[in-house]
Amino acid sequence: MSRIRMATPADAPQIQAIYEPIVRETIISFELEPPTIEDMVNRITATTSRYPWLVCEQDDKILGYVYAGAHRSRAAYQWSVDVSVYVHTEARRRGIGRALYTSLFGLLVVQGFYNAYAGIALPNPGSIRIHEAMGMVPVGIYKQVGYKFNAWHDVGWWQVALQSHTDTQPSPPLPVTDILNTLAWDEAVATGLSLVKI
């Protein structure tokens, strides 16, 4: 049985196993050394105090994960988030990335966020496809911004408006813990899960 749920520190070993080869073997991540399981525990704990970090699992095996985080630290940026999604190599082309993003974006709207951004190390046509399928549009390129595997690499940035912007002062976004296990949470998760092709 498949489900999408909030990540917990107990998921760190499976999440680390999905992410480690991406760091070691590709330019998709600009990390040079894979985080340890303990590092991943700390990341999950820090992120889920405020933002969603979701996993898609089937029979207790994590097939992919997605999370949001602060776009920048200054106060006027608080309604914007950066997002990332990673899918297990054995589970790609099954709608998992789109399912996870659909649930994540729905939850971010409930929290009160307005904009989501994704940075993509170029070239990466697969990542561009999933982000543009989610309505994200390219807004610029940081030229030769990162050095990995003996070469400089560009990073493209994609953006989507999660909801219509207002002319009035928006309320501060809610922490994800305020919406966990609510009807709105269940609806957002169910909408995403319906896209998984198992």
Side-chain angles (χ1 to χ4, degrees):
M1 180 177 177
S2 300
R3 65 175 178 154
I4 292 175
R5 60 169 175 79
M6 191 77 147
T8 72
D11 298 319
Q14 289 194 68
I15 288 173
Q16 193 271 350
I18 292 171
Y19 187 57
E20 180 175 3
I22 292 168
V23 175
R24 287 200 185 280
E25 301 166 13
T26 78
I27 63 159
I28 291 170
S29 168
F30 273 14
E31 293 197 67
L32 302 179
E33 294 295 330
T36 64
I37 292 172
E38 183 180 354
D39 292 334
M40 204 58 82
V41 167
N42 294 336
R43 292 181 188 189
I44 293 166
T45 301
T47 298
T48 55
S49 66
R50 178 143 194 88
Y51 302 98
W53 184 319
L54 305 176
V55 297
C56 179
E57 68 177 1
Q58 183 179 30
D59 301 326
D60 299 321
K61 180 178 181 180
I62 293 176
L63 306 178
Y65 65 95
V66 68
Y67 60 88
H71 177 63
R72 293 288 186 273
S73 61
R74 293 185 177 170
Y77 287 115
Q78 67 184 288
W79 295 276
S80 296
V81 295
D82 288 347
V83 295
S84 296
V85 66
Y86 297 95
V87 177
H88 195 291
T89 53
E90 297 172 4
R92 292 182 183 157
R93 318 274 317 161
R94 289 162 56 182
I96 292 165
R98 185 181 290 218
L100 284 164
Y101 261 152
T102 297
S103 291
L104 179 72
F105 287 2
L107 295 173
L108 292 171
V109 170
V110 175
Q111 286 182 261
F113 291 104
Y114 283 80
N115 309 297
Y117 298 88
I120 302 173
L122 303 174
N124 190 339
S127 185
I128 291 171
R129 273 195 301 274
I130 179 61
H131 288 90
E132 292 189 347
M134 294 307 304
M136 303 188 88
V137 296
V139 292
I141 296 175
Y142 291 175
K143 294 287 190 178
Q144 297 183 319
V145 69
Y147 189 84
K148 187 175 181 181
F149 298 152
N150 302 312
W152 290 100
H153 302 283
D154 298 344
V155 171
W157 282 90
W158 274 254
Q159 173 185 358
V160 66
L162 297 168
Q163 58 181 312
S164 298
H165 292 73
T166 63
D167 294 329
T168 58
Q169 172 79 32
S171 298
L174 298 170
V176 69
T177 50
D178 283 11
I179 66 166
L180 192 60
N181 299 321
T182 63
L183 178 60
W185 175 278
D186 293 343
E187 289 174 349
V189 167
T191 301
L193 188 59
S194 69
L195 302 174
V196 175
K197 305 167 188 171
I198 300 297

